[in-house]
Amino acid sequence: MKPAPQKRRKRNLLRAEGVEHVDWKDTALLREFLSDRGKIRARRITGLTPAEQKDVARAIKNAREMALLPYPVKKG
Amino acid sequence: MSRHYEVMVILDPSLDERTVAPTLENFLKVIRNAGGSVENVDIWGRRRLSYEINKNAEGIYAVLELISEPDDVKELDRQLSLQETVLRTKVVRRQEVRGAKRAAKIAAKA
């Protein structure tokens, strides 16, 4: 089997934006890590380190609880 | 030990936004009387909710920053959530920036 083609791996870390501390109130930033359906993007897409991915996931879940971000929606 | 907390409150959108600050102030007495301090009160105002809460599509958001004892924050949270005009609350410890603790330790040693 051939290796899968590189799929839109971002690898930009978004640390490119100079974010040192992920704030769960910063919805504009967190939205970058959500798919159209509101799912959290996998690390292989976001290119974050495990620690960063964990921070982002935690922040998104906190924001969801306060209705700042949507929960994933099922479609089809 | 006093800690740094962030308390987010979502209030009923039918409230008059001008009454929000005095109402919250009333609740913050809990913290003040117990010897904690209120660092900041940020009222975001009316904002669309990502999903309905109690049939409301909007809510009035406010973020309180406090330094207080854990038990006092718990009491504040309890009193707020008893209020019918409060749709939701969330208490979060202010997180230290990753590595800040270690950096401080190293600095203390040097």
Side-chain angles (χ1 to χ4, degrees):
Chain A
M1 216 174 93
K2 272 193 287 183
Q6 275 271 331
K7 257 202 288 182
R8 52 180 184 138
R9 166 172 252 210
K10 275 199 194 162
R11 251 306 167 206
N12 73 354
L13 283 175
L14 273 207
R15 308 294 125 162
E17 310 220 344
V19 188
E20 269 180 31
H21 176 71
V22 183
D23 186 2
W24 62 282
K25 301 188 291 321
D26 186 355
T27 46
L29 173 71
L30 295 177
R31 256 175 219 282
E32 301 288 318
F33 294 98
L34 291 181
S35 72
D36 309 339
R37 291 188 176 188
K39 290 181 173 183
I40 299 172
R41 289 236 151 92
R43 180 142 66 236
R44 73 174 173 277
I45 311 287
T46 62
L48 297 179
T49 66
E52 289 167 342
Q53 178 79 11
K54 193 174 170 186
D55 287 348
V56 168
R58 189 72 263 157
I60 289 175
K61 287 169 187 175
N62 271 339
R64 276 180 185 161
E65 284 192 348
M66 294 310 277
L68 296 172
L69 292 175
Y71 280 102
V73 285
K74 295 188 203 89
K75 264 184 222 155
Chain B
M1 186 195 166
S2 279
R3 297 192 182 283
H4 198 161
Y5 291 99
E6 231 171 34
V7 181
M8 187 185 267
V9 190
I10 308 181
L11 295 151
D12 196 290
S14 59
L15 287 174
D16 189 340
E17 268 179 66
R18 279 165 298 182
T19 66
V20 169
T23 320
L24 288 175
E25 206 50 45
N26 208 22
F27 285 106
L28 287 173
K29 277 187 198 148
V30 180
I31 300 295
R32 291 216 169 90
N33 292 343
S37 68
V38 180
E39 299 291 291
N40 192 25
V41 178
D42 185 6
I43 296 170
W44 291 9
R46 221 167 286 268
R47 202 175 183 290
R48 253 201 96 72
L49 302 174
S50 285
Y51 48 86
E52 285 190 3
I53 300 176
N54 300 349
K55 309 278 177 207
N56 291 302
E58 288 186 322
I60 301 173
Y61 280 75
V63 179
L64 319 168
E65 277 193 50
L66 330 157
I67 293 178
S68 91
E69 296 293 324
D71 287 348
D72 301 334
V73 184
K74 224 186 250 173
E75 174 62 14
L76 172 71
D77 189 37
R78 191 187 70 85
Q79 290 194 14
L80 282 171
S81 51
L82 287 176
Q83 221 61 25
E84 264 171 46
T85 52
V86 174
L87 299 183
R88 207 160 276 196
T89 63
K90 186 174 203 67
V91 179
V92 173
R93 274 267 302 283
R94 273 303 287 263
Q95 222 51 53
E96 283 178 80
V97 177
R98 191 182 300 288
K101 222 176 191 172
R102 200 148 47 106
K105 228 181 205 169
I106 292 165
K109 246 184 198 167

